[in-house]
Amino acid sequence: MTLEAGYFKVPKEVTLVELAEEQGVSHQAMSERIRRGVHHLIEQTLITSDSPNHDEE
């Protein structure tokens, strides 16, 4: 959704507000969804259980 819409392109092809409207949520909720998704992606792909700060947030 955000990737295909061009949210992560430089320059962005769609704004956070436009994405939120498309999904029927507030821009704050859309921002939180993106942040949680990026956090999860980083956890699953870049952080290993052997990392010294793995349990810290």
Side-chain angles (χ1 to χ4, degrees):
M1 153 188 70
T2 55
L3 186 62
E4 295 89 7
Y7 182 74
F8 292 106
K9 289 187 177 182
V10 177
K12 290 181 180 176
E13 295 178 352
V14 65
T15 67
L16 185 63
V17 171
E18 291 168 331
L19 283 175
E21 288 175 355
E22 181 180 306
Q23 295 299 308
V25 298
S26 69
H27 71 278
Q28 294 94 339
M30 191 76 236
S31 176
E32 289 173 16
R33 289 178 182 187
I34 292 171
R35 284 197 327 269
R36 283 194 305 266
V38 170
H39 178 87
H40 182 73
L41 179 64
I42 290 170
E43 270 189 337
Q44 297 300 311
T45 59
L46 300 178
I47 299 175
T48 65
S49 58
D50 297 334
S51 296
N53 296 326
H54 178 67
D55 294 331
E56 295 180 12
E57 281 198 32

